[in-house]
Amino acid sequence: MIDQVDHRKLDDGLARIFGIGPQEAGVNLDAIRAKAASNLAAYGKLLAELFARHAIELPPAVHLQWWPEGSRIRVAGEHASKERIEVMLNGDGELVEEFKELELLHEIVRSTELAGVDDGSEQHFNIGITSSGPIAFFSA
């Protein structure tokens, strides 16, 4: 819920998620956006190093999504190492957890930026791991 007085400040629940005490300043969208960008960069670096150790080629980019039928990451589209990548990522609970945290952060930013706008389509969070770095985006 967005504070009606200050559209950049988010509610107390989000402040708790980010570890901000009741006596401290609230969370604003810029802080969440910065955390999302920082976490995405770190996640991308971690995956790039993992892929290099396992001789997984970039390019082509690796397109990651949350598996709609369960709690795991899937490689969308085609990649020569698709199955290996899915096994590696889903076999590491921290990588799965980080993906979900990134999804949450980007959903918060997106929902706040698009408050009151309904385009009628269901959007899915994606991460692209490219040779130039990671990107996060939403697709139908």
Side-chain angles (χ1 to χ4, degrees):
M1 181 168 136
I2 300 175
D3 188 330
Q4 295 299 321
V5 176
D6 179 2
H7 293 286
R8 295 165 49 92
K9 184 176 175 183
L10 299 178
D11 71 8
D12 293 338
L14 290 175
R16 283 192 303 277
I17 289 172
F18 288 94
I20 296 175
Q23 307 306 325
E24 299 175 60
V27 176
N28 66 48
L29 187 56
D30 289 339
I32 296 172
R33 190 179 288 115
K35 181 167 179 60
S38 173
N39 286 18
L40 178 63
Y43 192 71
K45 182 179 179 189
L46 184 66
L47 291 187
E49 290 168 355
L50 179 67
F51 293 169
R53 281 195 311 272
H54 291 273
I56 294 172
E57 298 287 324
L58 293 176
V62 177
H63 178 180
L64 304 174
Q65 292 179 332
W66 193 247
W67 192 268
E69 291 83 28
S71 55
R72 48 180 282 201
I73 301 167
R74 75 179 184 121
V75 175
E78 294 304 317
H79 191 282
S81 301
K82 179 177 182 167
E83 290 81 19
R84 281 181 47 214
I85 294 168
E86 288 179 349
V87 168
M88 284 187 323
L89 297 181
N90 291 301
D92 186 326
E94 287 185 38
L95 291 175
V96 172
E97 188 176 309
E98 282 293 318
F99 186 95
K100 288 306 286 179
E101 183 176 325
L102 283 164
E103 180 179 38
L104 173 64
L105 290 169
H106 284 85
E107 283 282 351
I108 291 168
V109 171
R110 185 173 187 276
S111 296
T112 304
E113 289 174 342
L114 298 176
V117 176
D118 183 14
D119 66 0
S121 66
E122 185 177 335
Q123 297 286 305
H124 303 280
F125 178 71
N126 301 266
I127 295 177
I129 305 299
T130 73
S131 57
S132 299
I135 57 170
F137 60 97
F138 288 87
S139 64

